[in-house]
Each structure stands twice: as structure tokens, then as C-alpha cells.
Amino acid sequence: MVKAHDILGMNARQQEYVSLNSGTAKAFCSSKYATKVLLANKNIGTALIYGVLTSIEDVNEFEWHTLEKNFVIKPTNGNAGKGVAVFRKKIENKEVWIDTQNQNWTLEEIKLHCSDILAGQYSTYGTNHQVIVEERVPIHSTFDKYAFQGTPDVRVIVYNHVPVMAMLRLPTKESQGRANLHQGALGVGVDIATGITTYAITGEGRPIQFLPDSKRKLNGLRLPFWKKTLQTAVEASDAAGLSFCGVDLFMSEEKGPMVVELNANPGLSIQLANRAGLRRRLERVRDLNVLNADHGVRIGMTLFAESFADKIKAEDGLIILPFREKITVYDDIKENSKHANEVEALMNTGRYRSAISRQLAENFGLVQVEDLLWYQSEKDETKAPVIEVQIKIRSRKIKTGMVVLKRLDKSPYKVEIGRNDLSGFVVGENE
């Protein structure tokens, strides 16, 4: 159950988080063209631009006949999918194109649509209305049976260089093939640690378990390129200088994650899709010292793992563990090499995060700068480091964040496994 004080409301979003973004950073979000130029210059994946049309003369002179298939027409400063026209192919030997709704467009109709964009009919920001003609990213095969006609996208909320929450948006018949919740698309929560879908909502925010008019479950779908998707989102946010934002991405079968746009003022329905509050997640990463995008991704994947996704992954059902169990801890003593070490650990369900003795962590070469995730306060130990550790419990390998504690140096158990790493297990009597 989500607690009320964990939820981020509109006022708090504006005052505490959106306000952190500079005017320059926000300017990138209000111009799709500026965003694409920025990302292209930083070698961050985004759709190719075929043309930017700033006048009726540009519209008339553009070589439309060269666009044989897969292109998009959109305003440079619109939002919520307004004014976006997506085309699949051109009819051979005719000046007629078919959009993703199987509607035919003549050249004159396309030009008229561009004229409406230039007149500001679909724009949300500013007065400089322009038309972008860009590459369409075809639907990834993973989503063939989940999306209606259009291409799904993934929104990732990034704060302080850390991906804190994510949502898959699936086009529906109601949304006319657009991945926009306001127009009727579905929002599906995604576990940050694994890229596995968890819960889902309709465009109105109602919980939903199955794809409309089908028996296909919306949870348990594994998204492609997941770690790369998170890394791309953080890199795009950093490139624009955004402290807090939503990054929307397409999944390309050939090119991987591709940024669609940046949003300095992302919507809050993502909390309903994940059944989790944004405020709590944002507060957890507010004061962390994040070194780079990869570090931020590792922090996000460690902090925000969902037990729901762990249950999906558990192929063998629940495993009963004793309170004392021999586990494997992998060390980093040799460069590019990991060695397995058997350690007797205490299954401590009174702890949330697992812990390791400082002496053992040092012996295994784990207290390195590249392994450090963040510092956290612990009883009798101020600012205990949290490091990335790979362990194996029975047959299950787990990459997790462990608190390094000096007090465990004198304990008979140099490792304590917390609740965070016991999903899929039941801790029972000693065997």
C-alpha cells in the first residue's frame, strides 16, 4: 500500500523539483528540434531529422516524394501527441501516403497539416512554430502483440543523475495508435532493476491487468536493452543539464534505445502505474554523490528493485532457508576476474539491506571507488559506505548493495542478508 506522504503532488513537483532546472535546460525540453540537435552532437540515440520546415515556402519546396516509408511529422514545440502524424509507407507511383491508422493522405493534405502546425494550431510553447519531419522508429518485435498500430515508448524519471521510476506506454485503439495516456494509451509500471513490467493503468488511471479485449497479461513482460535504456535516459538528462525530468524513449530493434523527447515537467500518473510514490524515491537520492551515468544506473537498480519482479523471475517457486546459510560472495581481488568465496551468513529479516563486515570486504577487494554506491547512516556508525556486491544464495545469483559495517568484524557472521535480497525465499528454522 502506497503511503500518502510518499506521493508527489503537482505543487511539490513544481516547487521542489521542476524549479531546480535552469531556464537553459528547460529550453531544450520546449523544442524538440533543439533536443535532437543536442543529443545528436552528444552521440546519444535519437531519430534522424529529415527536415525542419519554418515557412510555407519550406513546406512547398520540401522533397516529399523522397519519403518512401516510416516518417513522422510533428510540431517542434507541442506536447501530449498534438499535431503528430505518423506514416508507414507511400503508395507506389502516387503522391499518397498511408499513416499508422491506415488512412490515406494526399500531398495537399500533408501540406495543409504542416500549414496548421506553422500557424501554431498544435503548439504548447512559445510563438516560433516549426515543423519537424523525422525518422519513424518501427515497433520492436517484443511489443508486436501488445501495441495497437503505433510504437510504444518508455518514460524514465531521472533525478540527480539516477533513474528513479519508469513506465511503458502502450498505444491502444482508443488512443488511435499514440503512446499518450491523455489520449487513452495504457501506462505499465516497470521494475527499475530488471526491466520487467509490474502493474498497469488505463489512461484514466484505473488499474488494469489484461490488454483490452484480450487475455494477455500486462505484467511480466521483459523490456529489451533495459540497462542501456536507463543509461541513455540519464545521459540525455545530463546532456541538457536537467536536474529533474522525464525522458521518453523508443526501442529500436536495430539501434537500441532512442530518445524521443525530454520533459522538464513530467506527469505524475507514473506513480499509479508503479503503485509507488515518487516523493519517497526522489528523497532517497537527493543528496547522493553520483559520479556518472553508469553509477547513477547502478544506484537506481539497487535502490528501486521490486519484489513483484523477483517473484516473476523465481522459476522454482519459494525456497526455504535456515537462519544460517552458506552463501557465495564473489571478490574483486584480480582485475577483470571474480573469485567465489564460501561464507556463512545470517539471514537477518530484521534488516532491509544486506551488510558485510569491513574486514571481509577489504579482504575481497570490494571497497573500491568503482564499487561504492552511496553512504548511509547506521546505528553506532556514521556514514557507512554501501558497495555493489555479487552473491549467490543456493542457485540464485544476486547483484546487490551491501552496507559495510565495522561491527560485523567481531561478529561470528561476517555477512547478514537483509529482506531486500530474500525475495523468493522463506526463512525458516535452522536445518
Side-chain angles (χ1 to χ4, degrees):
M1 179 68 69
V2 183
K3 296 179 181 178
H5 61 262
D6 290 342
I7 298 171
L8 183 68
M10 289 188 290
N11 290 339
R13 176 190 59 187
Q14 298 299 124
Q15 296 169 12
E16 298 178 34
Y17 298 102
V18 175
S19 62
L20 298 174
N21 296 320
S22 68
T24 303
K26 290 177 182 177
F28 285 114
C29 299
S30 61
S31 171
K32 293 181 175 63
Y33 176 63
T35 298
K36 290 182 179 299
V37 172
L38 172 73
L39 298 178
N41 288 338
K42 297 285 186 178
N43 294 317
I44 297 171
T46 189
L48 296 174
I49 296 176
Y50 298 141
V52 179
L53 314 179
T54 62
S55 66
I56 296 299
E57 288 74 17
D58 288 346
V59 173
N60 290 329
E61 292 175 5
F62 186 76
E63 295 182 343
W64 296 101
H65 65 276
T66 63
L67 300 178
E68 297 290 336
K69 61 179 181 179
N70 291 332
F71 68 97
V72 179
I73 297 172
K74 62 171 67 171
T76 57
N77 50 1
N79 74 345
K82 292 183 292 186
V84 178
V86 185
F87 296 89
R88 292 191 298 110
K89 64 180 180 179
K90 181 177 181 289
I91 296 179
E92 193 173 355
N93 299 323
K94 290 185 178 181
E95 288 190 334
V96 177
W97 289 261
I98 304 174
D99 67 15
T100 53
Q101 303 301 305
N102 291 320
Q103 300 296 314
N104 289 355
W105 292 58
T106 65
L107 180 56
E108 289 307 310
E109 287 171 330
I110 286 177
K111 289 181 177 181
L112 179 61
H113 183 69
C114 291
S115 298
D116 289 339
I117 292 174
L118 292 172
Q121 182 171 329
Y122 304 105
S123 295
T124 304
Y125 313 103
T127 57
N128 186 22
H129 312 301
Q130 300 176 348
V131 180
I132 289 182
V133 185
E134 69 177 24
E135 170 190 15
R136 174 199 172 216
V137 180
I139 185 171
H140 192 284
S141 58
T142 297
F143 308 116
D144 278 344
K145 297 178 180 179
Y146 289 87
F148 179 82
Q149 296 183 344
T151 302
D153 69 16
V154 175
R155 167 160 290 182
V156 180
I157 302 295
V158 179
Y159 175 54
N160 188 24
H161 320 288
V162 179
V164 297
M165 195 171 283
M167 171 175 65
L168 170 68
R169 297 187 294 193
L170 293 173
T172 63
K173 187 175 183 179
E174 181 183 349
S175 72
Q176 297 184 330
R178 291 183 173 86
N180 189 286
L181 264 65
H182 295 293
Q183 296 179 336
L186 302 181
V188 187
V190 183
D191 173 37
I192 288 286
T194 61
I196 295 174
T197 57
T198 54
Y199 310 100
I201 57 170
T202 64
E204 296 84 18
R206 291 184 290 101
I208 185 172
Q209 288 184 293
F210 301 95
L211 200 65
D213 303 320
S214 79
K215 294 183 179 180
R216 194 175 301 280
K217 284 187 175 182
L218 290 165
N219 70 306
L221 178 65
R222 186 184 293 273
L223 275 57
F225 323 113
W226 184 240
K227 189 173 182 179
K228 179 63 176 173
T229 297
L230 296 180
Q231 189 153 5
T232 301
V234 176
E235 289 172 350
S237 172
D238 290 351
L242 290 157
S243 298
F244 169 76
C245 73
V247 183
D248 298 338
L249 307 100
F250 285 145
M251 303 291 105
S252 167
E253 200 103 35
E254 297 179 359
K255 300 180 181 180
M258 301 175 70
V259 178
V260 183
E261 61 181 274
L262 303 174
N263 193 324
N265 188 23
L268 300 173
S269 297
I270 193 169
Q271 298 176 104
L272 297 175
N274 282 275
R275 297 189 188 177
L278 255 177
R279 179 188 284 276
R280 177 168 172 75
R281 293 196 180 190
L282 296 171
E283 288 175 349
R284 292 182 75 180
V285 303
R286 182 196 299 273
D287 298 320
L288 298 183
N289 180 27
V290 184
L291 302 178
N292 49 42
D294 180 66
H295 189 210
V297 169
R298 288 194 290 124
I299 289 173
M301 295 178 83
T302 302
L303 276 179
F304 305 122
E306 296 279 358
S307 59
F308 184 96
D310 289 332
K311 291 175 184 176
I312 293 170
K313 291 191 298 177
E315 297 175 352
D316 301 325
L318 296 176
I319 300 170
I320 299 175
L321 294 176
F323 290 111
R324 295 182 290 273
E325 170 80 8
K326 287 186 177 179
I327 69 167
T328 301
V329 180
Y330 295 90
D331 67 35
D332 274 337
I333 290 177
K334 288 189 176 181
E335 188 176 358
N336 300 322
S337 171
K338 288 186 181 291
H339 287 72
N341 305 274
E342 194 173 74
V343 177
E344 188 167 46
L346 177 68
M347 305 297 116
N348 184 358
T349 56
R351 290 192 60 86
Y352 173 74
R353 187 166 305 286
S354 297
I356 186 170
S357 85
R358 184 174 186 85
Q359 186 177 60
L360 188 65
E362 289 177 347
N363 290 344
F364 289 170
L366 294 170
V367 189
Q368 307 292 335
V369 172
E370 60 269 21
D371 296 316
L372 180 64
L373 293 173
W374 64 84
Y375 289 90
Q376 72 179 44
S377 297
E378 283 279 329
K379 186 178 180 181
D380 301 326
E381 297 189 37
T382 58
K383 288 198 170 181
V386 178
I387 59 173
E388 187 173 59
V389 183
Q390 187 172 14
I391 61 176
K392 184 166 74 171
I393 304 176
R394 298 287 174 97
S395 61
R396 189 177 303 170
K397 282 189 178 181
I398 302 167
K399 186 177 284 187
T400 187
M402 282 192 173
V403 187
V404 180
L405 298 179
K406 291 181 182 178
R407 67 171 177 80
L408 291 184
D409 291 344
K410 299 179 181 179
S411 169
Y413 304 104
K414 307 304 181 189
V415 175
E416 292 185 359
I417 303 299
R419 298 188 304 277
N420 187 49
D421 297 319
L422 290 172
S423 295
F425 295 107
V426 172
V427 179
E429 297 296 328
N430 287 317
E431 292 177 341

